[in-house]
Structure formats: structure tokens, C-alpha cells
Amino acid sequence: MEARRGWRAVPKVRHVGFFTPNEPPPPARTQSGPPDSNSPPLSNSPAGNSLSPVMIPPPRHLSDNLAHRATSPLPVPETSAFRRPIPGGDRVAVVGSYNPTDSMLGASPPLTSPSSRIGDGEFSEESSPGWFRRSNSAKFASSFPGGGFDLTSIKSSETLEVEVKKPVEVPGPNIAEKSGVAGAELQTESQSSSKPLKAKTTKAERRALQESQRAAKAAAKGEATGKPAISSEGAATSKPVKQQPSRKKDALPAATSVAASDRKGVDRPPEKERKKEVPPPRMQFDDKNRVEKAKKRAVVNQTEARNRVELFRHLPQYERGSQLPDLESKFFLLDPMHPAVYKVGLQYLAGDISGGNARCIAMLQAFQEVIKDYSTPPEKSLTRDLTAKVGSYVSFLIECRPLSMSMGNAIRFLKNRIAKLPLSLSESEAKESLCSDINRFINEKIVLADKVIVRHAASKVRDGDVLLTYGSSCVVEMILLYAHELGKQFRVVIVDSRPKLEGQALLRRLVAKGLNCTYTHINAVSYIMHEVTRVFLGASSVLSNGTVYSRVGTACVAMVAHAFRVPVLICCEAYKFHERVQLDSICSNELGDPDAIAKASGRMDVNYVDNLANKENLQLLNLMYDATPLEYISMIVTDYGMIPPTSVPVIVREYRREHLWI
Amino acid sequence: MPDVQALVNDFLNKLKKRKIEGSQATSRQTAELLRSVISQQRVPYNNQAGALIDAVKAVGEQLIAANPVELAVGNIVRRVLHIIREEDLSLTTAAMAGLNLSAVSDDEDDEERDDLPVLSAAVVAAAARSTLRPPSLQTLLEDMPDTAAIPHTSSSGGDSEGKSKSADKSSRSRKLKHDVIEAVNELIQDITTCHEQIAEQAVEHIHQNEVILTLGSSRTVLEFLCAAKEKKRSFRVFVAEGAPRYQGHLLAKELVARGLQTTLITDSAVFAMISRVNMVIVGAHAVMANGGVIAPVGLNMVALAAQKHAVPFVVLAGSHKLCPLYPHNPEVLLNELRSPSELLDFGEFSDCLDFRSVTGSPLLHVVNPTFDYVPPKLVSLFITDTGGHNPSYMYRLIADYYSADDLVVKRRTTSGN
């Protein structure tokens, strides 16, 4: 590690995106340690108290890298001799990222703050329960077990790194003090993991995400495949992680056929590898064979809705009403299902938890419970068995409600962490480390990211503004409240739409906090847009072609705002960015309960189509999401700063590794 | 007369309380009311037309004031005024022909009328020509000397006395009233059958397997779609529900009852679905002279989405919806805010309604407009009972139905008083 740093030239820092004038000069915020100077300064931004820009170091074309693999477009410094013979594998791993060490460092500052034990109390009080619409929303912070994972053994060998890390200076009063320790811990964490593994597991995970059931089945197959990578890894990181070979062998659990092919690809030219970077196709529900297969595996007993819209046959749509009681009755029968996961699944199904962040947090916490209660069955390895378990839980959750892309990213992260558990750890240590990883993810990628976004976005609120928001986005709500706390004088227009009417809850909360609110429905958006000066919208996901995938109606609002020349700001945490692309709202979407369309809540007089629900000619379509084209979006506010929508692929590419904490 | 006044008051009340829904019903009832006003109006010996016009204007002004947003009322008042003028004109020309007045007497008549304000056939003909007939080189040339006289005729027509051929006039006046009522009947007939005339054109616009999107409910749209369905076209309709009134549910119900493939979507899904739609067909509340449309709320959004995806945006409008006025700030001035209770349940939100800011103004506002303004550039085609038209042509189409003198109903009457 250290040696690697020595080779590297200090990168020039490129600034991307919008800069707030009052930000401190970037050099001041970069790590002060000489070797660290090449770590991307942007890494501070999520943790940084002040508004920070996005800074992306340019790709480094180091001579040594080039020498080793001229074909690789993104040079990766060699970490060890073990890696050199498999440039293809390396390349896969780091596609989209500039430098392993860098990314580790880059990842560390965000990690620094929340992951540390000092952090949890602080964050728990800072994240007000209302932000995530969940009764036990504060739990993610409080339940965090005091950062109690024991990394001492690793740390000792990593002293140099720790030292290196210690001078890290993070601006922001609330996080600065813990940065050193946390950074060190983090470092060890990231050190112990290695790239080639990541790539493969990522593959496998993505695959598993799609057909996680299959993943479990194929786990046995993939057993052998992980071996060389692991060994190379162990050597590369040169830690106390030197493992007994038996452990290494099955360290790659989720490795399915994909992983196998990945391995084959190790020696192939990078083009092939790049192909595999493309996310695998999603399950298409008009493919009868696969639907049948999926049904056989399914836990949830679902009947296909009869009267479906032709255009959306490729999306799952089930008869509502029967699932929930059915599942509830099976509560004690479903042996393999952990109760926490089961509960979350039921909550998804019933719609008790909604909103990307709340769902993601609920899921991660359920997995935390799972991990806490987990004990490795005899004759099995923790890594493999746990990944399979998580895979089956995920598929259960998918049956309850299709996952959002942000949740997919979180699952990818978790599986990655499981796969890369240092083999030296005992079971309890491994569990602890996973739990703290999850906590760290929640804190850094969601809670802290939200805080940064709030700071960024609030700087765009001026006195006298009329801010329009659509539906109910927790980030936007935080922005509005924060701007209000800052004493800015503004008015809020809440645009709402059927059937969820999520805006009403937001309206209630904002009015209770003393904000001046105007409430209207989406049809009136062009009436109200005359007076609006800014539009703040949340997003479920931001795709790499700049399309914003969000609650249905967002596109309408953005379009009207665009027509009225009102700037549209999308507020979205970077963990929701996804490398998929999408042009319309039809190819990939989620169908809600069609019966919700027929009934107008609170309007007894509207029941025209109630009795027609079963007519063949009438279809009710309850779309959940839509895709907003990028030309309607003025900018996207993320934890990395404020960026134009065209820069989304840059973030996705440059920070993917960081998102997974390789 | 008192019974007419009672009718008028009754109708005024209905308008004020917004009891009459839909521009078609409004316009039909307005026309019927005006018919009875005309039939009850005692016609003076002379200047029948002037008296009728005054009577209609007096009632019309009240009606328009009762619900200024319901443009159909004003349209019908103007149409009736136009009818009176037109009938008067045709009668005068006929009378002139009977009197063997040659065309050469045009100039003499002008002079005569300048001195003695008699409702001269030639003058009226010349005055009306510009609005009633398509302009040609000849009419333009003929009009030249008369231009100054036109306003004079209409405004001073009321005080013309004596000096005209009395016997001839009286026979004419009795006939005038009769003709006017006939013409108003025709107008009412037109209003009631405009759906059919528009629907007849449906097959020309809807092809097999078309996907059509509409928002809210309009009887014209319903008839239009059903007419195409009857002609064995099979197509699919997406109906946006049109919250908060949910008229789309009604339309969907009707369409399903008539066997059309219907998909009901939320308004928010319009943008998501529009890319798969071949044509947007909507009804209108009123069509302004510039080709802009006052439409049910939400249609501006639909029109923008349609424009983005290059989907034709077709507006169906009966001729009673054509308004000769040009809109100014129509989103606000030609709009109406409905009850907030349609959006928020007061019972549920009673706790929020009490919150006040420091200054005492309430924190919570609810906006529930009724109409949207769709600018002409977003409209691809108007289909009226006379065929399809471009937005840019609407001003000319409208000129066929109204005379320029009646555009502002109010000012004329006040000046008359």
C-alpha cells in the first residue's frame, strides 16, 4: 500500500459542478499527509460541513500501469505481484475508478464521521425521526452497537496506514474529532478487501439481485472459482489476513455462472470485460417460462392480475389484497425467513414503509438483525452461506415489492462486504464488522449525504423565493426545514397527485413547523408555476444517461417548470445513482394497486368506475414512477456537490468503487 | 315582460351559483332565454332591429356579468345580436330590391342617412359586408366610402324616426322578429347537434389501432370517439382522470359501456404514457380568437407533454365555444378557483387550518383552479362543426359568427343608456 503511494504522482484536482462561493479552498480540506495528497479531496465533501464542490482527480496514466497493460483505458496501479498476471481481472475491478488506493482514501472521509463510535450518538440526535417516515426511524443510529467491531489485530499491522490517515483534517465541527480513528478503521477495512474479488462479486451480486434464488443454487458451483482471486487478494493486501486455504476456497459464495465466466474473462481483452459491466437485463414478466420458474420459487403466493395493460405486460402485477393476509398467516411457517426480514417485507407489501431512503434503511436494518442472529451452519462457511441467505431474503423482499435501484445498490454493497470479509475473523467478529458496515452505509450514504445535500440546496434558497415541490421527498423536506431554520423567508408550493397523496403528509408537517404552504394538485401545476421561482424534487434514482427516475408526476412538474423557465433542482443522494440507462417510463417501472385508481380517497361522490373494475374493456393503470429527461433538469444536488445532469455518468463511474467501499 | 324578467333572473341565479355545468348546456339555455326575450320584446314601429338589439344587449350584459368566466354566454349573446343584424340586413336588401332601389343610389343613401339617420338597407349592407362576407376586392372597394358611417349607424339607429316608408317598414319589422326567432331556433339546433357534426369527422382522424389520450370528460370527445368506434375502427383510449373532479372516471365508464378499450390513468402518469400515444383529443371550455384554448385544468400539462413527444394535440370545439375575444392573462382572469374541499378534507386537516404566521395570515393555502390556458402554439388542430382548422385561422372563423360591433357587449349598452 505504502509502496504504491510512493509511485504515484500528485494528481491535479479538477473541479466539477457548481461551487458555492463561501466554500473553503479545496487544498485546505484535502488530507495533509504527503502520501494522502493524491486522494481525491472530494472525499471530504460528504463529511464536510461547508458546501463543497465536486472534485474529480483526472485519471492517472502512470508509466508503470501502462507498461503492464496498455490496453486498459483506466490504469490501475499494481498492488502486488499477484495481480500482474491477471490484468483483465484487475481491469474489471476498477473500471470506472481511477485508483484503488485513491478510492479507498476517497471513501474514507465519508466513512470517518459516522462509522466511528463517537459518531452514532451525534447522528442519532441529528437525524430527526420524521425524516424517514418510519416509526423506528431513529433506530438506525441508536441501534448501532457502539462501533464495537474489533479490528485491533488488523490495525496493528496497518499502523503505517493509520498514521497516514490520522492527519486527515475534516472540516466541520461535528465530525472533525473522530476522523482520525474512524479513518484508520476504515482504512483497514478497505485494505483487507481487494479489487478482483469485488468485480466478481459485483457481477455475481448483480446477477443475484435479478435472480437471487438462482444464485443460491449456483453457489456451490462457484465455489471453486473464487479461489485464485482470493489468494491473490490475500497476498496483495499482505495483512494478517493470510488465511488457511480452506477458508479462501469458499470465500466467494455468490459466485454463480457469472463469476465463473468472469474468471475465464480474466485473460481476455478488456472489451469483453467491459461488456459485462453492463447491468444484466431485468426479469421480464412477459416471458412465460421465467415467470413460471419464478413462481415455483416464490414465497409470496401471488395471483397475476387479470386485466392488465398491454403495454406493461413485462412488469409484474398481482392481485392485491390476497397477499398480505396470506403472508401473515404463513408467518410461523416460513422457517428460513428471518422475522425481521419478514416484517419489513410485510411493511413493504402493506405500503407502511415508502420512500427510497426509508425502504433502504428498513431493509438494511433487517439484514443487520439477520446477521446478528446468524450462526454458520456446520460444514459451511459464513461468507458463502450468508450471501446465499441474504440473496433469498432479497428475493423475498422483491416479491413483496420490487426493489428500488437504491436498494439494489445497498444490497450490492452488503454482499460485497460479506464476500470480502477478512478470512481471519471469527464468526462473531465478522458479524460485528458487517453490522458496523451496514451502520456506516446508512450513516454515510444516507444520513450524512442528506445533510450535505441539505446544506448545498439551502444555499440556493433566497429570501422571497417560492419553492415548489412534488409529492413528499424526505430530502426536500429537510431542505425546506433547514432553510426555514436559517431564517430564510420563502413560500412552499406542494404539488400532490393521486392516488398516494403523499403531499398531504408533507403539508401537515411543514405547516406544523410554521412554513407558509400552498397546496395544489398536479393538474394545476401550470397555474401555480407562474409564481414559482425554484422547483425542488426528490428522486428514486438517477440513471447514468441523466434521466431522473422518480415518483410518477415528477416529469410533468419538471416539464412545466421547464416551459415556464423555472430552474429544477433534483435532490438525490449519490448512492441512488445507477449505471442503467432509460429513455422512457415504460420499459422499467413499477405497477401499483390498480384499485387505488378507481377510488378517490375522501371523495365518496366519486365512485363511477368502482363496479366496472372487472370489465374487460377497462384497465386501470397505476404507474409508480416516471423518467424525467435530462433537459428538464437544471441541476442535481448530491452529496458530491451540485452537478449538471450530464455529469451523472461521471459520478457513477468515478465513485462506484467508493460506493461499494472496495 | 315580467315573466321574461323572471326567467332572466332565474337564469342569472343559476349562472351565479354555477348551477349550470358545461358550456353546451349553458349556451343552449342562454339561446333559449334570449329567444323568449326577443319574442316578448314589444317591437316599436320603427327600427325594429335596434330595439331588439338593445333588449338583447341589456339582458346579455347581465348574463355575462353573472358568470364572466363562462364565455359561452357571451358568445351566444353576440351570436344572437349578429343574427338580428343579419336578418335585418337581408330584410332590408329584400325591401330595397322591392323598391327598385338601384345600386347607384348607394352614395345618395349615404348622404341621406348622414342627415337623417334612417336605417338604410344599403348602408347596413355595406356595414355588415365586411364582417358577414368574405372580403373580396369588390367589397373592399365598396366599403371605402362607408367606413366612417358604420359605427354611426349602429349607435344612432335607435333614434331614427319618421321619414321612412312606414307601411313597408311595419311589414318588414313583423317579419324581422319572426325571422330572428327562426334563426335563433336554428342556432339552438346547431348547439344541440354540434356533437354529431363534429363526430362525423371522427373517421377522418382516427385510424386503426390508434392510441388516443384524453383528460377529463367532454361530451364532444365521447361522441367523437364513439362515432369512430361505430365505424368499426378499433383503437385504444387512455383517459386521465382529471383530478380533482374525476370527470375522467365518468368518461371511462361511458367509453367502457360503449365497448371501447379504455385505460384509466392518473393525471401524473400523462408524461409517462404520452410517448406511446398517437393523438391527444380533448374538449375545450372556450376557444379564444387567437387560437388559445381555455380548457379543463391539467390540459396545459398534457399539451406540453404532447408537444415534447410530437403527438398531435387536437381540440374539439362546437361553434358556440368560439369566443371572439383575445385573452389577456387568461390563466388568472379567465379562471375560477373551486372549493379547497375537493383537495383537502377539512375534517382531516382541521388542525392545520389554524396555523397562522406571525402576521396573522394563514399558513395554509389551497389552490384549486378550474381551467387551464393552452396557448395556440401547443394546439395542432381544432375540429369544429365546420371542419378542421389551424389555430392561426380561428380569428377568421370566429369573424364569421360575430359582427365586430358586438365584441364588447357592455360598452354598447352603456353608451346607449
Side-chain angles (χ1 to χ4, degrees), chain B residues 335-356:
Chain B
N335 215 333
E336 204 166 40
L337 295 178
R338 295 171 65 90
S339 160
S341 65
E342 288 181 335
L343 292 186
L344 281 186
D345 191 347
F346 289 157
E348 243 176 80
F349 272 80
S350 50
D351 50 331
C352 290
L353 299 175
D354 295 334
F355 286 110
R356 315 234 148 216

Side-chain angles (χ1 to χ4, degrees), chain A residues 320-361:
Chain A
R320 300 282 163 146
S322 64
Q323 304 162 310
L324 197 53
D326 184 51
L327 259 189
E328 276 167 353
S329 62
K330 277 203 275 187
F331 188 89
F332 297 105
L333 304 177
L334 284 173
D335 195 32
M337 207 53 65
H338 191 278
V341 176
Y342 203 84
K343 182 179 146 204
V344 171
L346 288 178
Q347 279 170 324
Y348 285 174
L349 195 55
D352 289 346
I353 302 181
S354 64
N357 287 343
R359 276 169 72 199
C360 193
I361 289 173

